[in-house]
């Protein structure tokens, strides 16, 4: 059940039997010479929508498509929220979804650079309750799609060399599977990009001139993408089910 | 050129000849018993993407899909930002796009409830420059898709009665044209919804029990939607071109 | 009953029979070569105080005299709040007045540039309640004085040509009626000012060199001002009474 | 020169010879059984306007009429900004006035409860410059009207007993002089109000049931008010002149 | 009982008999050519810890060591919070301590520049309760250590000339008593520093080239420091006891 | 060189040869039945001060002693900042230290719960520069003391079983070494605490009734603490030196 393609009475009815919602969340940012700018929000969207197709009872929110990408801002097309803005926006999403009765809110994340801010946001949200000795009416969970059980090891197996950290062949493969008409090619030099620390945008561009970190996107193929999606979908469904069924302690 | 389906070098190259970008912006909120929750962000996305299909030189950003919908929060599936959050997020989008050299940023809006906050945000952004006697390196424009030349009169002509203000047959028709597999039906009672002031969420639901304001969505059809899109697309292309070509005064 | 000229026991007593308060709100900003900088906050103050003189039961708050005028900042004497500051301040006024039991808060506005931010503020205030499924203990209303029934048409009739959008003869006439010792004159060139979009302060000054938009203030006279006030006062009293008596839906 | 009764060209011209502006600032809050709610913003306004009448070269901004009065909120008619809102608003006033070339901004304050927040605001404003090793283009000064040279001793002499700290006979006398039609009387019990610490609103009302602190407002008379104003006006003019002429150190 | 050297069950047990906590609060900022940068947070810490040593039932929180020191930022080693940040942080300390049942929170302050912001923060905190007609579950108190009964007069007696306002011999003496290994000397020129207004950092450094205001730190000695501490400790214990035992009015 | 025990001329002189500063940062929060509430800020302080003792050229700032501990708030003595407050405070520390010429700011962290917010803060700080195509004049680094080369493996070797995640024997041992007079004992039940997810404060207390996660603090001894400190000190000195000497890319 994709929220944006449903009517409110449909969601209302669905809430009678499930209290769990999945929010695909990512970033719109450069992904090297050939990766799509939307890669990091499209990957979790692709996986979540595929999961919903397989199990229509899964409730999937619209995709939170702009995240924390300040370090990529020296590359055209990147759009970033400041962490403080990102925190405010996630907070409002949670307030809205909780208002309707969603008690388990699962963020399927597609961007490593989002993790710190999302976790800080969870703490910011919980703090309001922790300061006043109340328990929030919801539980929040963050999961990167590549951390879904089995996915990371699959990616390593598919790309034993040149996977890297940004513009990885695995994420690019996923988008190639879903958007085969938008596959781009380039000569990579060096074939495997350098690695290093991530700081501000100008520092980033100086270290990683074409935007990649440690990766060789030439390894990606739509077929690889389909393999990854095929592994991620059941893993997501199981992970969400476990989260939905988790018994909370008595407080 | 859809930013999210492009690579950064492609956007970089495009920026050599255009400085204008279109941002579809809307809301995810109830649209009556049959309207899709995503209606208000999908309509500007549908129109902008159709325009880009017709003229590939149009640069379209990812869709800003969550807006200001506090009054709809009593209906399941609605997700709203507080105006202050919305303002921060739009500001960061503008900062990001301006960073890359976009000098004309055109928001194609799909939700009336967004207008006040978007306009307040423009003032907030401009104020930073106005206080220090500098001119911002960008110009901002807001246009509701139904205010594109010719569109409003077309909608009135298609739906002379029962158009209303929320969950209108015209917006529902646009989504029906684009998502024919998700057309929903219901018995509307009354056929044409009531009207009244818009305040907080509980007041809203008490006044407009099924969510509609003044509309009869049963009038919508995919065919109507195609007619509207067909009128909106050239109107958008012309309006964006006029904006791109507008000569600014010497300051 | 002007709050600032009353004691707290007087307001306390008045609250036993009325729950409605009028807040004159405006802006301190340039009004062309001859208009007073205080025009936009003095006009609603003049009208509200005249109404209170006629019907002493009307409760009028002190005037909220600084609003959102970023676009006028290139002209000396303009004082502007950023929209975010304006929102915080209005919120605190509402919290204060609500604290005392005012349940209907009516903002009589004198500045078009305030409208978007005031409406966004209403949404910001309501959102706190909408997120938690509660109804606020107050209803907020915004009315521009020129939108009081009959006033706009009267102004058009008095000034069929050259009314314009900023430093209009109607608002200048109202201040001339109230402050006859501060009538200023100048040669206007052109007689009717140009029109155009409103953006940042430097852009504004480049487009509208003497500050006016579309208006010919030479048309104003104290007599016109008295006519306008005479029409606005009963219209305000009736509009406030209607608001006070409006029956809210059961939530 | 009262800004709100001037045109922008008049202020522009005045800025050629003066860079100093006076901002009357106060609060709208209960002042005991008989004091006017506007006392604290009307007193500095009365004095500043009287000073301007005597020396038309004095530039006086509109009155900042709502300040920090959280402790008075249990009494009807009080309107308070949160300190954080107050800080934002003062900051915007300063930004606006500085934008026009005012380099010395003098706040004539009428409310003791404002002092801490105004001083914190000055530090907040200066901090932006101090962090980046720049000097602000303005100097800020806060002066309570009763601290103008000679005024405090005069008040003590006029009211050797029962002056107190809130709803003092001196401030009430000033308003009686200016608004003789709004003089109110009551039996005070006790004649001299109690004193104690100031905390939240409910605590305040429990300690000071009629709102006064340590004062006997029955001592006030319009004649006393005229005496105080007559002393304050030249003191203000001299204090502002000293501020305007103060030589800053070379940085 | 020093909180940071206790376990949570110890604090839990202590809360059964006391509801009062002392928070040493200060600033890390230049203190002239010889004063320690930590002077302003170490002085209240020294006094509070000495008091706790004498009466182990005193509950002392960790030291709040960074305050509002924007005016000292032109001297190396100074660390300052903006007032708005300082307010947020104090608010969170209060929320945390109140959460555990502390109902009387006593800030022992070591920096005059903190006073305005701390007082503004108290008002900000109280305002949340005052707006909604509730009483906070805590009372806040600010006391500068030199304002403890008897301390100020003692300092004046020890240093009848050259005490001054910043880098005073009394505060330096206190740190000399506690950190005898870190006593520094210098030739002061002039022996007694100048005085003047406090504004931004560059203005401050221009007025007070070595950082002192009005003081002659050469007068300080560890012996003086011991004398001051010996006077401050019982004064603090008594002041805290009075605060703990203060009976609040019925609201 | 400890900043708080230095004078500003000493720091000024030191800045001629080093541009690097170490900020011990932690949290004041429950550490199980026997751990000190100050554990998480005292550990990095202990290690940094020991390192400074060994190499006096190391510049160490005062300890940032309150961090993000919302999940521990159900245990007495815990003091937490909201993430948003924490971010503002860190930002001001960085602004202050950068103002003096520190170009490499190294945060030695003692609390796992701080990591996400500190990283989000770095991004918030960098974003200001990334949005405007400038490079910040500083580089920020976060290092947990247990992640210093060799330390983690040492801890695992010392405590092969029962190390756990909170109130670990290694951190408790470090405080025992430094504060031998404050060693506390208790019967732990179970001997090794349970593990689980970290959410809000009530959930935390329900899962971890005595505050520990996965640890057996009975394993700690002062001797172990000395061993750990002895390993951490040279590791810190080397890590800071590497950071100080790191060559940045040309931007």
């Amino acid at each position: 059940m994709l929220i944006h393609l449903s009517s409110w009475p449909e969601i209302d009815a669905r809430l009678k039997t499930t209290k769990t919602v999945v929010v695909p969340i990512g970033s719109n940012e450069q992904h090297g010479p050939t990766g799509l700018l939307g890669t990091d929000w499209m990957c979790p969207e692709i996986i979540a929508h595929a999961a919903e197709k397989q199990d229509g009872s899964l409730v999937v929110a619209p995709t939170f498509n702009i995240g924390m990408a300040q370090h990529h801002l020296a590359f055209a097309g990147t759009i970033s929220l400041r962490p403080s803005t990102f925190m405010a926006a996630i907070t409002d999403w949670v307030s809205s979804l909780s208002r309707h009765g969603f008690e388990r809110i699962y963020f399927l994340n597609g961007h490593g650079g989002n993790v710190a801010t999302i976790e800080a946001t969870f703490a910011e949200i919980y703090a309001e309750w922790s300061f006043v000795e109340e328990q929030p009416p919801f539980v929040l969970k963050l999961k990167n799609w590549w951390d879904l059980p089995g996915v990371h090891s699959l990616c390593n197996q598919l790309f034993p060399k040149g996977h890297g950290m940004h513009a990885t062949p695995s994420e690019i493969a996923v988008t190639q599977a879903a958007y085969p008409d938008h596959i781009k090619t380039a000569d990579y030099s060096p074939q495997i990009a350098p690695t290093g620390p991530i700081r501000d945008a100008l520092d980033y561009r100086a270290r990683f001139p074409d935007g990649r970190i440690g990766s060789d996107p030439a390894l990606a193929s739509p077929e690889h993408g389909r393999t990854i999606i095929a592994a991620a979908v059941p893993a997501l469904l199981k992970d969400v089910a476990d989260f939905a069924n988790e018994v909370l302690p008595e407080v």
Side-chain angles (χ1 to χ4, degrees), chain A:
Chain A
M1 189 161 224
L2 304 182
I3 286 180
H4 68 286
L5 294 179
S6 307
S7 68
W8 75 259
E10 288 172 332
I11 302 298
D12 221 39
R14 189 76 194 88
L15 274 159
K16 293 208 167 60
T17 51
T18 188
K19 305 296 187 193
T20 303
V21 61
V22 174
V23 181
I25 190 166
S27 174
N28 197 79
E29 62 184 43
Q30 68 85 12
H31 271 76
T34 56
L36 306 184
L37 280 148
T39 299
D40 277 0
W41 62 265
M42 297 192 309
C43 283
E45 181 178 281
I46 291 163
I47 293 166
H49 286 205
E52 190 269 348
K53 207 160 197 171
Q54 195 161 311
D55 176 358
S57 75
L58 191 76
V59 181
V60 181
T63 300
F64 196 126
N65 56 10
I66 303 296
M68 212 304 293
Q70 67 84 20
H71 42 303
H72 295 298
L73 279 166
F75 296 92
T78 300
I79 303 175
S80 178
L81 301 182
R82 285 164 292 171
S84 53
T85 303
F86 198 19
M87 291 170 74
I90 296 170
T91 300
D92 291 356
W93 282 60
V94 168
S95 296
S96 299
L97 293 168
S98 165
R99 169 67 173 75
H100 304 310
F102 289 109
E103 298 173 355
R104 309 273 165 114
I105 304 176
Y106 184 105
F107 288 87
L108 183 67
N109 180 44
H111 174 46
N114 281 352
V115 172
T117 304
I118 294 175
E119 288 184 350
T121 306
F122 286 3
E124 182 88 9
I125 292 170
Y126 287 143
E128 293 304 307
W129 304 85
S130 297
F131 275 128
V132 295
E133 205 163 348
E134 290 181 29
Q135 194 177 34
F138 48 76
V139 179
L140 308 174
K141 186 183 176 77
L142 168 66
K143 179 73 88 174
N144 302 313
W145 65 261
W146 55 86
D147 287 331
L148 286 168
V151 174
H152 197 252
S153 54
L154 170 65
C155 293
N156 282 339
Q157 182 187 323
L158 293 174
F159 313 108
K161 216 184 123 189
H163 188 269
M165 276 78 70
H166 186 68
T168 66
S170 59
E171 59 189 351
I172 287 178
V174 169
T175 62
Q176 288 180 339
Y179 297 89
D181 295 347
H182 292 85
I183 299 175
K184 303 171 205 299
T185 55
D187 288 330
Y188 300 100
S189 165
Q191 193 67 31
I192 296 184
T195 63
I198 292 178
R199 290 167 181 163
D200 61 280
L202 287 179
D203 181 278
Y204 185 106
R205 183 145 187 173
R207 290 177 192 279
F208 314 112
D210 70 2
R212 298 172 295 141
I213 305 182
S215 72
D216 176 5
L219 302 169
S221 74
E223 179 56 29
H224 286 134
R226 282 188 291 273
T227 305
I228 295 170
I229 295 168
V233 163
L236 173 63
L237 287 171
K238 176 161 188 331
D239 204 49
V240 172
D242 289 350
F243 179 52
N245 296 327
E246 185 192 326
V247 179
L248 300 185
E250 291 288 322
V251 301

